[in-house]
Amino acid sequence: MDDILLSINNLRTSFRIDGQYYAAVDGVSIDIMHNEVFAIVGESGCGKSALSLSITKLHNMNYTRIEGEVNFNGQNLLDLNESKLNKVRGKDISVIFQDPLTALNPVIRVGPQIEESLTYHTNMNKKEKRDRAIKLLSEVGMVNPELTYASFPHELSGGMRQRATIAVSLACSPKLIIADEPTTALDVTIQAQILDLLRKLQKETQSSIILITHDLGVVAEMADRVAVMYAGQIVELASANDLFKNPQHPYTRSLLASIPNVGEDLHRLNAIKGIVPTLMYMPREGCRFSHRTPWIDGSMHEENPDYHEVRPNHFVFCTCYKDFYFENEGGA
């Protein structure tokens, strides 16, 4: 399809632990469309960041095995060597990391860090690169872009550092931006400003964004489509509007039920039993969420789970969604 910007097919990312490889991303297939914000949501440890960093092989490949296909511009990125991948990284696909203090080099001023990808990917002269960097700093909301250009990262506030990392990611006008928890380290007011900025820039540049987050409020505000990820698998995929109005998978429903609602008078919130299993002890057969819903009969789960299209373009993994109920509701 001409509308598809990035196509991920049967992606499996495994990490070596004590000589054995364990899949943190296990058979994921998704398409990212042109000019959309695609959110991947789930608890910590579900494989969201492992998935996002696999797209351009940003893992330490000495301990990582990535299989499957990541098709972009007619080529499988996983087949490219480091030299060819570097021509894609920062130019066509860029990343906004969750901690700007570690994403920025502490001993290099902000301006030269923005100019680095321009030096690598363009033929701009020194003045053109400086002008471009200052223009980007202005576009991301820096009040005094010239001063920021000459500043070291430690001289900036948290929000300013995140704006600087966004400027770095936008330097070469990428087609795809991977935003990995871009507001995690920021206070609520600055989070809102950064989200507004990302939404504004995405509309202006018409680039696509893969938004990695555990915050469903961010998803509701930003995303066009949402993939809910659990234990290395996509368990539900739908438009943001449909997902919030008609959540289907027990994990999605449990996540939404755990959010405080101002309009409800609840004495206690719903909590999801247990935790996401670690890589070494993650179940590899059946429904991986079943151990966190022990009150549900095992017959509700598929032995070999598959995707079911419950509505147009709304997919759910495993049949357990059909008769799921919360423990405090009693039997269905």
Side-chain angles (χ1 to χ4, degrees):
M1 288 177 61
D2 292 338
D3 288 339
I4 296 177
L5 175 64
L6 181 83
S7 183
I8 298 173
N9 298 314
N10 197 28
L11 182 67
R12 180 169 281 100
T13 301
S14 305
F15 299 108
R16 193 174 75 212
I17 304 173
D18 294 334
Q20 298 284 336
Y21 280 93
Y22 299 89
V25 179
D26 204 352
V28 168
S29 297
I30 50 176
D31 292 330
I32 310 300
M33 316 306 284
H34 284 277
N35 192 25
E36 81 162 341
V37 177
F38 185 94
I40 302 175
V41 66
E43 295 168 281
S44 296
C46 284
K48 307 183 301 297
S49 292
L51 168 58
S52 67
L53 296 178
S54 298
I55 292 172
T56 52
K57 294 170 71 173
L58 287 175
H59 294 290
N60 184 336
M61 297 308 295
N62 292 322
Y63 306 96
T64 311
R65 185 169 61 200
I66 305 177
E67 304 163 285
E69 295 181 348
V70 178
N71 295 307
F72 180 80
N73 278 352
Q75 58 187 349
N76 180 8
L77 298 182
L78 302 185
D79 289 339
L80 302 184
N81 59 32
E82 195 73 5
S83 176
K84 290 182 178 179
L85 266 176
N86 282 337
K87 294 179 180 178
V88 176
R89 296 169 176 157
K91 181 178 184 293
D92 295 317
I93 302 176
S94 64
V95 181
I96 303 171
F97 295 100
Q98 60 180 286
D99 185 357
L101 193 57
T102 56
L104 295 170
N105 191 320
V107 298
I108 298 178
R109 298 180 192 273
V110 169
Q113 297 196 55
I114 299 173
E115 293 173 357
E116 184 177 0
S117 62
L118 295 172
T119 300
Y120 191 86
H121 294 295
T122 75
N123 295 316
M124 289 182 179
N125 60 37
K126 187 174 182 179
K127 182 181 184 304
E128 288 172 334
K129 287 187 291 185
R130 185 180 190 280
D131 290 345
R132 171 68 173 158
I134 290 175
K135 182 174 184 291
L136 284 165
L137 289 169
S138 177
E139 288 177 351
V140 299
M142 295 297 192
V143 176
N144 191 334
E146 290 85 0
L147 179 61
T148 306
Y149 176 94
S151 299
F152 287 100
H154 72 269
E155 297 177 303
L156 307 178
S157 67
M160 292 174 72
R161 284 194 293 266
Q162 191 61 289
R163 290 172 189 270
T165 62
I166 293 172
V168 171
S169 73
L170 293 174
C172 292
S173 302
K175 298 175 183 176
L176 176 65
I177 299 170
I178 300 170
D180 186 5
E181 303 272 12
T183 60
T184 296
L186 307 174
D187 64 53
V188 175
T189 303
I190 304 301
Q191 282 185 24
Q193 293 175 6
I194 295 298
L195 292 175
D196 287 342
L197 172 62
L198 284 174
R199 186 167 49 247
K200 171 178 172 288
L201 292 172
Q202 190 269 333
K203 289 180 179 178
E204 290 175 354
T205 62
Q206 296 196 331
S207 58
S208 295
I209 295 178
I210 297 177
L211 179 64
I212 310 297
T213 184
H214 61 268
D215 190 332
L216 288 165
V218 171
V219 173
E221 188 172 344
M222 288 283 294
D224 298 307
R225 290 192 300 142
V226 186
V228 180
M229 195 166 186
Y230 182 75
Q233 299 175 324
I234 302 298
V235 297
E236 188 159 1
L237 175 64
S239 70
N241 184 59
D242 199 14
L243 187 92
F244 282 99
K245 283 187 176 179
N246 301 291
Q248 295 294 311
H249 194 276
Y251 182 57
T252 309
R253 292 175 59 186
S254 298
L255 286 175
L256 290 170
S258 67
I259 300 173
N261 190 325
V262 176
E264 293 183 15
D265 183 18
L266 294 176
H267 293 290
R268 59 186 300 177
L269 291 173
N270 285 299
I272 307 176
K273 285 182 176 289
I275 59 173
V276 180
T278 61
L279 282 184
M280 294 178 68
Y281 300 102
M282 188 177 293
R284 303 292 172 178
E285 297 179 354
C287 178
R288 297 184 181 184
F289 191 62
S290 61
H291 75 287
R292 299 183 71 177
T293 55
W295 62 92
I296 298 298
D297 190 270
S299 63
M300 289 178 54
H301 303 282
E302 288 177 283
E303 190 172 324
N304 298 297
D306 202 354
Y307 289 98
H308 306 273
E309 190 169 14
V310 295
R311 274 181 295 279
N313 299 312
H314 188 156
F315 298 90
V316 185
F317 198 55
C318 187
T319 53
C320 58
Y321 74 92
K322 293 181 179 179
D323 301 304
F324 173 76
Y325 59 92
F326 290 106
E327 185 177 22
N328 58 7
E329 295 174 346

